[in-house]
Structures are given as C-alpha cells and as structure tokens.
Amino acid sequence: MDEKRNSRRLDLSVTVELERIDDNKGITTLKLVQVDITDLSKSGIGFSSPVELEVRSYYNTKLQIWTKENIEAVIEIVRRVELDGVYHYGAKF
C-alpha cells in the first residue's frame, strides 16, 4: 500500500471495537464492529475487518496501546480496499 500519511506508521497488532456515530443528532448506535488494527500513527490508523464499513463514516473507538494505556478517539473512514473477502481500511483521527 502506498504511504499516504503525514506521520510515520507504527506496526500494531490489537483488536478493538468501533461504535458507529449516526448522522442523526450525533448519537451513537449500539452496533459494535470488531476490527484488527494493523498500524497506527499520530494522525490515523489502518485496520482490517470482514465487515464492510462506509467511507466517510465516523466511529468512536478505544485503543489499548502496548503501554496498556487506553486512547479514546473518533475516527473517520477515508479509504477501503477489499481483498479476498476482507476489507482493509485507512482512517484518520
């Protein structure tokens, strides 16, 4: 994959849940999606999931990094590529 980030990526192998933020009044849904984070930078994340997510959709997420710290963030899906039934995403914070 071509490097499109402004910041250097760090390889990371964790699983997190995303909680979709609906367009209606900024509320969240109860539907959680589990994804596998593949890399992380200060401006975004890369992850994969068997679930198809919409580009330009927003999600609440809580990441636990290697120091065991939890980082809560809202991400926007900016890129999606499907390979062999698995979707690979790029998202920005």
Side-chain angles (χ1 to χ4, degrees):
M1 179 183 287
D2 292 337
E3 179 62 60
K4 295 185 179 185
R5 294 193 181 165
N6 294 328
S7 303
R8 185 175 66 92
R9 294 178 189 213
L10 300 173
D11 290 335
L12 185 64
S13 181
V14 296
T15 300
V16 298
E17 290 182 338
L18 303 180
E19 184 178 42
R20 174 111 189 224
I21 300 173
D22 287 334
D23 292 336
N24 299 337
K25 304 174 190 167
I27 59 173
T28 58
T29 66
L30 297 177
K31 182 180 177 186
L32 298 176
V33 177
Q34 190 164 343
V35 301
D36 296 315
I37 304 295
T38 55
D39 58 79
L40 173 72
S41 74
K42 68 180 180 181
S43 59
I45 61 173
F47 62 91
S48 59
S49 176
V51 178
E52 184 176 7
L53 306 174
E54 295 176 40
V55 174
R56 292 185 297 281
S57 59
Y58 294 86
Y59 293 83
N60 282 327
T61 187
K62 186 186 293 185
L63 302 167
Q64 186 178 61
I65 60 175
W66 57 94
T67 62
K68 304 299 182 201
E69 293 177 82
N70 286 319
I71 300 170
E72 295 184 28
V74 173
I75 61 169
E76 176 189 7
I77 307 294
V78 294
R79 187 170 33 265
R80 176 184 63 215
V81 176
E82 189 266 333
L83 296 170
D84 299 326
V86 177
Y87 295 93
H88 302 275
Y89 297 95
K92 65 181 182 178
F93 295 117

mmCIF file of all heavy atoms in Angstrom, residues 26-62:
data_model
loop_
_atom_site.group_PDB
_atom_site.id
_atom_site.type_symbol
_atom_site.label_atom_id
_atom_site.label_comp_id
_atom_site.label_asym_id
_atom_site.label_seq_id
_atom_site.Cartn_x
_atom_site.Cartn_y
_atom_site.Cartn_z
ATOM 1 N N GLY A 26 -25.856 13.284 16.125
ATOM 2 C CA GLY A 26 -24.578 12.916 16.715
ATOM 3 C C GLY A 26 -24.644 11.808 17.755
ATOM 4 O O GLY A 26 -23.739 11.665 18.551
ATOM 5 N N ILE A 27 -25.711 11.008 17.747
ATOM 6 C CA ILE A 27 -25.804 9.935 18.722
ATOM 7 C C ILE A 27 -25.149 8.671 18.188
ATOM 8 O O ILE A 27 -24.963 8.515 16.984
ATOM 9 C CB ILE A 27 -27.272 9.635 19.120
ATOM 10 C CG1 ILE A 27 -28.087 9.251 17.872
ATOM 11 C CG2 ILE A 27 -27.895 10.807 19.826
ATOM 12 C CD1 ILE A 27 -29.493 8.788 18.191
ATOM 13 N N THR A 28 -24.792 7.774 19.078
ATOM 14 C CA THR A 28 -24.157 6.537 18.654
ATOM 15 C C THR A 28 -25.172 5.400 18.622
ATOM 16 O O THR A 28 -26.162 5.428 19.325
ATOM 17 C CB THR A 28 -23.010 6.152 19.604
ATOM 18 O OG1 THR A 28 -23.534 6.030 20.923
ATOM 19 C CG2 THR A 28 -21.915 7.185 19.591
ATOM 20 N N THR A 29 -24.882 4.421 17.799
ATOM 21 C CA THR A 29 -25.729 3.237 17.742
ATOM 22 C C THR A 29 -25.165 2.194 18.700
ATOM 23 O O THR A 29 -24.071 2.331 19.213
ATOM 24 C CB THR A 29 -25.752 2.648 16.322
ATOM 25 O OG1 THR A 29 -24.445 2.167 16.023
ATOM 26 C CG2 THR A 29 -26.179 3.665 15.296
ATOM 27 N N LEU A 30 -25.914 1.138 18.919
ATOM 28 C CA LEU A 30 -25.444 0.054 19.768
ATOM 29 C C LEU A 30 -24.688 -1.001 18.984
ATOM 30 O O LEU A 30 -24.149 -1.922 19.556
ATOM 31 C CB LEU A 30 -26.623 -0.583 20.499
ATOM 32 C CG LEU A 30 -27.359 0.337 21.459
ATOM 33 C CD1 LEU A 30 -28.554 -0.386 22.072
ATOM 34 C CD2 LEU A 30 -26.431 0.853 22.539
ATOM 35 N N LYS A 31 -24.632 -0.866 17.663
ATOM 36 C CA LYS A 31 -23.946 -1.841 16.832
ATOM 37 C C LYS A 31 -22.439 -1.647 16.931
ATOM 38 O O LYS A 31 -21.903 -0.608 16.571
ATOM 39 C CB LYS A 31 -24.381 -1.699 15.372
ATOM 40 C CG LYS A 31 -23.743 -2.718 14.463
ATOM 41 C CD LYS A 31 -24.204 -2.545 13.036
ATOM 42 C CE LYS A 31 -23.507 -3.529 12.139
ATOM 43 N NZ LYS A 31 -23.840 -3.291 10.743
ATOM 44 N N LEU A 32 -21.745 -2.667 17.447
ATOM 45 C CA LEU A 32 -20.298 -2.619 17.570
ATOM 46 C C LEU A 32 -19.676 -3.488 16.493
ATOM 47 O O LEU A 32 -20.193 -4.556 16.168
ATOM 48 C CB LEU A 32 -19.854 -3.107 18.947
ATOM 49 C CG LEU A 32 -20.342 -2.302 20.138
ATOM 50 C CD1 LEU A 32 -19.910 -2.966 21.432
ATOM 51 C CD2 LEU A 32 -19.829 -0.876 20.080
ATOM 52 N N VAL A 33 -18.564 -3.041 15.945
ATOM 53 C CA VAL A 33 -17.836 -3.785 14.927
ATOM 54 C C VAL A 33 -16.444 -4.059 15.463
ATOM 55 O O VAL A 33 -15.756 -3.140 15.916
ATOM 56 C CB VAL A 33 -17.738 -2.966 13.613
ATOM 57 C CG1 VAL A 33 -16.923 -3.713 12.579
ATOM 58 C CG2 VAL A 33 -19.117 -2.624 13.091
ATOM 59 N N GLN A 34 -16.029 -5.322 15.438
ATOM 60 C CA GLN A 34 -14.688 -5.667 15.899
ATOM 61 C C GLN A 34 -13.739 -5.639 14.710
ATOM 62 O O GLN A 34 -14.045 -6.174 13.647
ATOM 63 C CB GLN A 34 -14.688 -7.046 16.535
ATOM 64 C CG GLN A 34 -13.399 -7.346 17.242
ATOM 65 C CD GLN A 34 -13.534 -8.529 18.179
ATOM 66 O OE1 GLN A 34 -14.630 -8.921 18.539
ATOM 67 N NE2 GLN A 34 -12.424 -9.084 18.558
ATOM 68 N N VAL A 35 -12.576 -4.991 14.900
ATOM 69 C CA VAL A 35 -11.596 -4.865 13.823
ATOM 70 C C VAL A 35 -10.206 -5.200 14.352
ATOM 71 O O VAL A 35 -9.963 -5.161 15.548
ATOM 72 C CB VAL A 35 -11.589 -3.437 13.218
ATOM 73 C CG1 VAL A 35 -12.954 -3.068 12.671
ATOM 74 C CG2 VAL A 35 -11.122 -2.400 14.210
ATOM 75 N N ASP A 36 -9.319 -5.535 13.429
ATOM 76 C CA ASP A 36 -7.926 -5.807 13.757
ATOM 77 C C ASP A 36 -7.078 -4.632 13.290
ATOM 78 O O ASP A 36 -6.964 -4.380 12.091
ATOM 79 C CB ASP A 36 -7.443 -7.088 13.075
ATOM 80 C CG ASP A 36 -8.181 -8.316 13.569
ATOM 81 O OD1 ASP A 36 -8.362 -8.442 14.794
ATOM 82 O OD2 ASP A 36 -8.584 -9.141 12.735
ATOM 83 N N ILE A 37 -6.484 -3.903 14.248
ATOM 84 C CA ILE A 37 -5.621 -2.769 13.928
ATOM 85 C C ILE A 37 -4.294 -3.304 13.402
ATOM 86 O O ILE A 37 -3.693 -4.193 14.003
ATOM 87 C CB ILE A 37 -5.366 -1.894 15.176
ATOM 88 C CG1 ILE A 37 -6.676 -1.429 15.799
ATOM 89 C CG2 ILE A 37 -4.450 -0.724 14.846
ATOM 90 C CD1 ILE A 37 -7.488 -0.513 14.945
ATOM 91 N N THR A 38 -3.838 -2.771 12.281
ATOM 92 C CA THR A 38 -2.577 -3.220 11.699
ATOM 93 C C THR A 38 -1.464 -2.203 11.856
ATOM 94 O O THR A 38 -0.301 -2.569 11.909
ATOM 95 C CB THR A 38 -2.750 -3.547 10.208
ATOM 96 O OG1 THR A 38 -3.299 -2.412 9.536
ATOM 97 C CG2 THR A 38 -3.674 -4.734 10.017
ATOM 98 N N ASP A 39 -1.809 -0.924 11.911
ATOM 99 C CA ASP A 39 -0.800 0.103 12.125
ATOM 100 C C ASP A 39 -1.449 1.357 12.689
ATOM 101 O O ASP A 39 -2.658 1.535 12.608
ATOM 102 C CB ASP A 39 -0.008 0.409 10.851
ATOM 103 C CG ASP A 39 -0.893 0.849 9.707
ATOM 104 O OD1 ASP A 39 -1.301 2.014 9.707
ATOM 105 O OD2 ASP A 39 -1.173 0.027 8.822
ATOM 106 N N LEU A 40 -0.618 2.202 13.266
ATOM 107 C CA LEU A 40 -1.088 3.388 13.974
ATOM 108 C C LEU A 40 -0.094 4.517 13.775
ATOM 109 O O LEU A 40 1.114 4.286 13.761
ATOM 110 C CB LEU A 40 -1.203 3.045 15.468
ATOM 111 C CG LEU A 40 -1.527 4.154 16.455
ATOM 112 C CD1 LEU A 40 -2.976 4.581 16.297
ATOM 113 C CD2 LEU A 40 -1.281 3.658 17.876
ATOM 114 N N SER A 41 -0.594 5.722 13.593
ATOM 115 C CA SER A 41 0.263 6.907 13.564
ATOM 116 C C SER A 41 -0.455 7.994 14.352
ATOM 117 O O SER A 41 -1.585 7.804 14.799
ATOM 118 C CB SER A 41 0.528 7.374 12.125
ATOM 119 O OG SER A 41 -0.609 7.999 11.573
ATOM 120 N N LYS A 42 0.173 9.132 14.523
ATOM 121 C CA LYS A 42 -0.479 10.190 15.300
ATOM 122 C C LYS A 42 -1.662 10.809 14.560
ATOM 123 O O LYS A 42 -2.488 11.465 15.164
ATOM 124 C CB LYS A 42 0.511 11.260 15.726
ATOM 125 C CG LYS A 42 1.077 12.094 14.623
ATOM 126 C CD LYS A 42 2.049 13.115 15.176
ATOM 127 C CE LYS A 42 2.627 13.977 14.077
ATOM 128 N NZ LYS A 42 3.575 14.954 14.610
ATOM 129 N N SER A 43 -1.782 10.537 13.259
ATOM 130 C CA SER A 43 -2.892 11.110 12.504
ATOM 131 C C SER A 43 -3.949 10.099 12.073
ATOM 132 O O SER A 43 -5.004 10.482 11.587
ATOM 133 C CB SER A 43 -2.359 11.852 11.278
ATOM 134 O OG SER A 43 -1.635 10.973 10.454
ATOM 135 N N GLY A 44 -3.700 8.777 12.271
ATOM 136 C CA GLY A 44 -4.705 7.814 11.848
ATOM 137 C C GLY A 44 -4.321 6.381 12.132
ATOM 138 O O GLY A 44 -3.293 6.102 12.738
ATOM 139 N N ILE A 45 -5.185 5.453 11.678
ATOM 140 C CA ILE A 45 -4.955 4.026 11.874
ATOM 141 C C ILE A 45 -5.277 3.262 10.597
ATOM 142 O O ILE A 45 -6.028 3.729 9.747
ATOM 143 C CB ILE A 45 -5.819 3.451 13.027
ATOM 144 C CG1 ILE A 45 -7.313 3.607 12.754
ATOM 145 C CG2 ILE A 45 -5.450 4.062 14.350
ATOM 146 C CD1 ILE A 45 -8.205 2.918 13.773
ATOM 147 N N GLY A 46 -4.693 2.089 10.481
ATOM 148 C CA GLY A 46 -5.035 1.135 9.450
ATOM 149 C C GLY A 46 -5.594 -0.094 10.131
ATOM 150 O O GLY A 46 -5.100 -0.508 11.174
ATOM 151 N N PHE A 47 -6.647 -0.684 9.580
ATOM 152 C CA PHE A 47 -7.230 -1.865 10.191
ATOM 153 C C PHE A 47 -7.944 -2.707 9.156
ATOM 154 O O PHE A 47 -8.194 -2.264 8.030
ATOM 155 C CB PHE A 47 -8.184 -1.491 11.335
ATOM 156 C CG PHE A 47 -9.370 -0.663 10.936
ATOM 157 C CD1 PHE A 47 -10.571 -1.259 10.578
ATOM 158 C CD2 PHE A 47 -9.306 0.725 10.936
ATOM 159 C CE1 PHE A 47 -11.673 -0.501 10.223
ATOM 160 C CE2 PHE A 47 -10.398 1.490 10.590
ATOM 161 C CZ PHE A 47 -11.589 0.874 10.234
ATOM 162 N N SER A 48 -8.262 -3.942 9.536
ATOM 163 C CA SER A 48 -8.989 -4.837 8.648
ATOM 164 C C SER A 48 -10.170 -5.445 9.388
ATOM 165 O O SER A 48 -10.170 -5.535 10.615
ATOM 166 C CB SER A 48 -8.068 -5.940 8.114
ATOM 167 O OG SER A 48 -7.535 -6.686 9.182
ATOM 168 N N SER A 49 -11.180 -5.847 8.611
ATOM 169 C CA SER A 49 -12.400 -6.414 9.178
ATOM 170 C C SER A 49 -13.149 -7.149 8.072
ATOM 171 O O SER A 49 -13.090 -6.740 6.910
ATOM 172 C CB SER A 49 -13.294 -5.306 9.737
ATOM 173 O OG SER A 49 -14.512 -5.826 10.197
ATOM 174 N N PRO A 50 -13.869 -8.219 8.423
ATOM 175 C CA PRO A 50 -14.706 -8.868 7.414
ATOM 176 C C PRO A 50 -15.994 -8.089 7.142
ATOM 177 O O PRO A 50 -16.729 -8.403 6.227
ATOM 178 C CB PRO A 50 -15.020 -10.229 8.048
ATOM 179 C CG PRO A 50 -14.917 -9.986 9.516
ATOM 180 C CD PRO A 50 -13.855 -8.928 9.687
ATOM 181 N N VAL A 51 -16.241 -7.042 7.933
ATOM 182 C CA VAL A 51 -17.451 -6.228 7.817
ATOM 183 C C VAL A 51 -17.182 -5.030 6.913
ATOM 184 O O VAL A 51 -16.187 -4.336 7.072
ATOM 185 C CB VAL A 51 -17.911 -5.750 9.210
ATOM 186 C CG1 VAL A 51 -19.132 -4.854 9.098
ATOM 187 C CG2 VAL A 51 -18.175 -6.926 10.121
ATOM 188 N N GLU A 52 -18.088 -4.777 5.972
ATOM 189 C CA GLU A 52 -17.945 -3.617 5.094
ATOM 190 C C GLU A 52 -18.464 -2.370 5.810
ATOM 191 O O GLU A 52 -19.594 -2.336 6.288
ATOM 192 C CB GLU A 52 -18.725 -3.823 3.801
ATOM 193 C CG GLU A 52 -18.542 -2.699 2.809
ATOM 194 C CD GLU A 52 -19.245 -2.959 1.492
ATOM 195 O OE1 GLU A 52 -19.981 -3.945 1.379
ATOM 196 O OE2 GLU A 52 -19.046 -2.141 0.571
ATOM 197 N N LEU A 53 -17.601 -1.354 5.912
ATOM 198 C CA LEU A 53 -17.951 -0.070 6.520
ATOM 199 C C LEU A 53 -17.968 0.992 5.436
ATOM 200 O O LEU A 53 -17.262 0.888 4.437
ATOM 201 C CB LEU A 53 -16.920 0.305 7.590
ATOM 202 C CG LEU A 53 -16.670 -0.733 8.687
ATOM 203 C CD1 LEU A 53 -15.523 -0.281 9.585
ATOM 204 C CD2 LEU A 53 -17.921 -0.975 9.489
ATOM 205 N N GLU A 54 -18.760 2.016 5.647
ATOM 206 C CA GLU A 54 -18.869 3.092 4.665
ATOM 207 C C GLU A 54 -17.686 4.051 4.763
ATOM 208 O O GLU A 54 -17.278 4.422 5.856
ATOM 209 C CB GLU A 54 -20.140 3.898 4.901
ATOM 210 C CG GLU A 54 -21.419 3.139 4.676
ATOM 211 C CD GLU A 54 -22.628 3.988 5.016
ATOM 212 O OE1 GLU A 54 -22.631 5.187 4.700
ATOM 213 O OE2 GLU A 54 -23.560 3.429 5.614
ATOM 214 N N VAL A 55 -17.183 4.446 3.604
ATOM 215 C CA VAL A 55 -16.179 5.516 3.560
ATOM 216 C C VAL A 55 -16.888 6.806 3.955
ATOM 217 O O VAL A 55 -18.056 7.011 3.639
ATOM 218 C CB VAL A 55 -15.562 5.622 2.147
ATOM 219 C CG1 VAL A 55 -14.637 6.821 2.038
ATOM 220 C CG2 VAL A 55 -14.824 4.334 1.806
ATOM 221 N N ARG A 56 -16.219 7.669 4.692
ATOM 222 C CA ARG A 56 -16.726 8.933 5.241
ATOM 223 C C ARG A 56 -17.730 8.711 6.375
ATOM 224 O O ARG A 56 -18.557 9.566 6.637
ATOM 225 C CB ARG A 56 -17.293 9.836 4.147
ATOM 226 C CG ARG A 56 -16.223 10.372 3.206
ATOM 227 C CD ARG A 56 -16.752 11.367 2.200
ATOM 228 N NE ARG A 56 -17.730 10.845 1.280
ATOM 229 C CZ ARG A 56 -17.455 10.120 0.203
ATOM 230 N NH1 ARG A 56 -16.228 9.841 -0.099
ATOM 231 N NH2 ARG A 56 -18.427 9.689 -0.573
ATOM 232 N N SER A 57 -17.656 7.545 7.035
ATOM 233 C CA SER A 57 -18.463 7.328 8.234
ATOM 234 C C SER A 57 -17.559 7.500 9.458
ATOM 235 O O SER A 57 -16.341 7.416 9.357
ATOM 236 C CB SER A 57 -19.112 5.940 8.216
ATOM 237 O OG SER A 57 -18.143 4.921 8.131
ATOM 238 N N TYR A 58 -18.171 7.775 10.608
ATOM 239 C CA TYR A 58 -17.432 8.086 11.828
ATOM 240 C C TYR A 58 -17.718 7.055 12.909
ATOM 241 O O TYR A 58 -18.849 6.571 13.031
ATOM 242 C CB TYR A 58 -17.835 9.471 12.348
ATOM 243 C CG TYR A 58 -17.420 10.583 11.420
ATOM 244 C CD1 TYR A 58 -18.230 10.972 10.360
ATOM 245 C CD2 TYR A 58 -16.209 11.242 11.595
ATOM 246 C CE1 TYR A 58 -17.857 11.989 9.500
ATOM 247 C CE2 TYR A 58 -15.818 12.262 10.738
ATOM 248 C CZ TYR A 58 -16.647 12.628 9.695
ATOM 249 O OH TYR A 58 -16.258 13.633 8.848
ATOM 250 N N TYR A 59 -16.685 6.755 13.707
ATOM 251 C CA TYR A 59 -16.802 5.756 14.761
ATOM 252 C C TYR A 59 -16.073 6.208 16.021
ATOM 253 O O TYR A 59 -14.983 6.778 15.946
ATOM 254 C CB TYR A 59 -16.189 4.418 14.308
ATOM 255 C CG TYR A 59 -16.966 3.767 13.197
ATOM 256 C CD1 TYR A 59 -16.758 4.139 11.879
ATOM 257 C CD2 TYR A 59 -17.919 2.808 13.473
ATOM 258 C CE1 TYR A 59 -17.489 3.564 10.856
ATOM 259 C CE2 TYR A 59 -18.657 2.222 12.456
ATOM 260 C CZ TYR A 59 -18.428 2.607 11.147
ATOM 261 O OH TYR A 59 -19.165 2.041 10.144
ATOM 262 N N ASN A 60 -16.681 5.910 17.174
ATOM 263 C CA ASN A 60 -15.986 6.029 18.451
ATOM 264 C C ASN A 60 -15.153 4.776 18.621
ATOM 265 O O ASN A 60 -15.594 3.680 18.263
ATOM 266 C CB ASN A 60 -16.979 6.099 19.620
ATOM 267 C CG ASN A 60 -17.609 7.454 19.764
ATOM 268 O OD1 ASN A 60 -17.003 8.475 19.490
ATOM 269 N ND2 ASN A 60 -18.849 7.465 20.205
ATOM 270 N N THR A 61 -13.964 4.921 19.179
ATOM 271 C CA THR A 61 -13.127 3.756 19.425
ATOM 272 C C THR A 61 -12.284 3.967 20.672
ATOM 273 O O THR A 61 -12.022 5.101 21.072
ATOM 274 C CB THR A 61 -12.224 3.447 18.216
ATOM 275 O OG1 THR A 61 -11.553 2.221 18.442
ATOM 276 C CG2 THR A 61 -11.217 4.543 17.969
ATOM 277 N N LYS A 62 -11.894 2.875 21.279
ATOM 278 C CA LYS A 62 -10.980 2.904 22.417
ATOM 279 C C LYS A 62 -9.849 1.933 22.103
ATOM 280 O O LYS A 62 -10.069 0.732 21.965
ATOM 281 C CB LYS A 62 -11.682 2.480 23.702
ATOM 282 C CG LYS A 62 -10.801 2.641 24.930
ATOM 283 C CD LYS A 62 -11.446 2.094 26.187
ATOM 284 C CE LYS A 62 -12.648 2.919 26.563
ATOM 285 N NZ LYS A 62 -13.247 2.488 27.847
#
